[in-house]
Amino acid sequence: MLVEQRDFTLLGKKKRHAHISVIPTGKLRVNILEDNAEQEAEFSQLWFSKTGTKTLLVCRDESKVNWQIDLSNKDAKELEHLIESAQEDYEILMRDL
């Protein structure tokens, strides 16, 4: 189980960059490089919403939005795949223990 890391250019007026780490124990860490701001979320808190050519990644607790970022559909699809793969790897490891 390894932490997968990717760098994405966020959509929007300001072309900000995000360094995203997918942690196999069920966490996602997002570091917005220009703001030097780091956010973290459990996989269960994440929600992807595709509209046109972009996908909004939202972290929310119950009904409150903690943070959100705009990704290209391609980047969001890659990130979803990394999260699914991390979840599967973690489940396999737990079964083997």
Side-chain angles (χ1 to χ4, degrees), residues 1-2 23-26 85-97:
M1 276 186 7
L2 298 174
I23 304 163
T25 55
S85 180
Q87 287 174 316
E88 289 172 12
D89 290 348
Y90 187 71
E91 288 174 11
I92 290 169
L93 178 67
M94 290 296 109
R95 276 195 307 261
D96 289 347
L97 292 177

Side-chain angles (χ1 to χ4, degrees), residues 19-30:
H19 179 76
I20 299 179
S21 301
V22 179
I23 304 163
T25 55
K27 291 187 187 258
L28 184 81
R29 187 172 298 132
V30 178

Side-chain angles (χ1 to χ4, degrees), residues 5-6 8 10 16-17 25 27 35 56 59 67 87:
Q5 299 182 28
R6 297 290 188 280
F8 297 114
L10 303 179
R16 298 182 304 158
H17 300 88
T25 55
K27 291 187 187 258
D35 302 339
L56 184 64
C59 169
W67 54 266
Q87 287 174 316

Side-chain angles (χ1 to χ4, degrees), residues 10-16 54 70:
L10 303 179
L11 301 180
K13 292 179 183 176
K14 298 178 184 177
K15 294 293 182 192
R16 298 182 304 158
K54 69 178 183 177
D70 286 320

